[in-house]
């Protein structure tokens, strides 16, 4: 087995008395699509928030490309090659589609505030590069013709694509998607699945939190299951479908594999 691109080791997050993530460990191998599933409130998004440093850890280690990153701040993540999307859409409605994608390009930024304020040549070059890169990512997701539209005029599904594009504009090595298909209709979901495959085929490792079991079972190489903050199972989609602990965790919910 290859060296993991990401390894989390006894990741823990307590919110007051609530243990949202309870000593969870897993490895993600390069080139995999790794899904994290589990019932509502299982700790999936919190796990992402810990890896990307939106929240400080209570304890645990995060090792990315064989280096500890748990002490690094959130804004360093994209520069290291880790980008993410959000379960609740983070779209700036007063900006165009292109500008929304360009926001993700900050990882490449080398200029300081003064260079930006005075619009010195380095800033202008970065802006031009960011615009070009954002356009190519918009083409990839099929939204290039709407680049100059206000983001607010797009459908919900298209806005999800804009967020996906923003996470790609920095050329991530590890892309962390939090329910990318939530709220999408079936053709949009199929399009999203196709794009996730293509991203992976371009060498990006993908983590995917998703409730749609059809999507998870179709596209994942490996699935990790959380329940009440704990990891209760890990394996191939087929292993997970037949795992009694997983079936029990989902009792009462419709589990449509
Ligand atoms: N900032 C916070 N403060 C307090 N409790 C929180 C906070 N964020 C999450 N929690 C709690 O931690 C637990 C795990 O939440 P989390 O959002 O990680 O679940 P999830 O698996 O992503 O669920 P869902 O499928 O509904 O998105 C929940 O009980 C939630 O209420
Ligand atoms: Mg969540």
């Amino acid at each position: 087995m290859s060296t993991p691109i990401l390894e989390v080791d006894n990741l823990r997050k307590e919110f007051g008395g609530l243990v949202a993530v309870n000593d969870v460990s897993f490895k993600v191998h390069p080139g995999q699509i790794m899904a994290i599933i589990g019932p509502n409130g299982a700790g999936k998004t919190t796990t992402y928030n810990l890896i990307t440093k939106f929240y400080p850890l209570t304890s645990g280690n995060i090792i990315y490309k064989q280096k500890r990153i748990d002490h690094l701040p959130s804004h360093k993540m994209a520069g290291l090659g880790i980008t993410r999307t959000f379960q609740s859409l983070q779209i700036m409605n007063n900006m165009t589609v292109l500008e929304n994608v360009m926001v993700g390009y900050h990882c490449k930024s080398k200029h300081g505030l003064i260079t930006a304020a005075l619009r010195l040549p380095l800033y202008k070059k970065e802006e031009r590069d960011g615009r070009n890169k954002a356009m190519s990512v918009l083409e990839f997701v099929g939204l290039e013709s709407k680049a100059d539209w206000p983001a607010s005029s797009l459908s919900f599904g298209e806005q999800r694509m804009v967020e996906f594009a923003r996470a790609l504009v920095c050329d991530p090595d590890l892309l962390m998607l939090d329910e990318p298909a939530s709220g999408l209709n079936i053709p949009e979901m199929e399009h999203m699945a196709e794009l996730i495959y293509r991203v992976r085929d371009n060498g990006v490792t993908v983590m995917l939190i998703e409730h749609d079991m059809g999507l998870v079972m179709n596209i994942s190489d490996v699935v990790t299951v959380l329940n009440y903050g704990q990891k209760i199972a890990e394996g191939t989609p087929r292993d997970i479908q037949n795992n009694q602990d997983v079936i029990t965790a989902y009792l009462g919910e419709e589990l449509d594999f």
Side-chain angles (χ1 to χ4, degrees), residues 40-46 87 178-179 209 211:
N40 292 117
K44 305 179 296 295
T45 297
T46 306
Q87 184 171 351
D178 195 346
E179 301 198 25
I209 296 176
H211 279 293

Side-chain angles (χ1 to χ4, degrees), residues 226-246:
L226 300 182
N227 192 29
Y228 293 112
Q230 281 180 312
K231 182 168 117 175
I232 59 164
E234 182 180 68
T236 62
R238 186 184 288 264
D239 294 340
I240 294 303
Q241 276 168 341
N242 298 317
N243 182 300
Q244 196 51 50
D245 292 339
V246 177

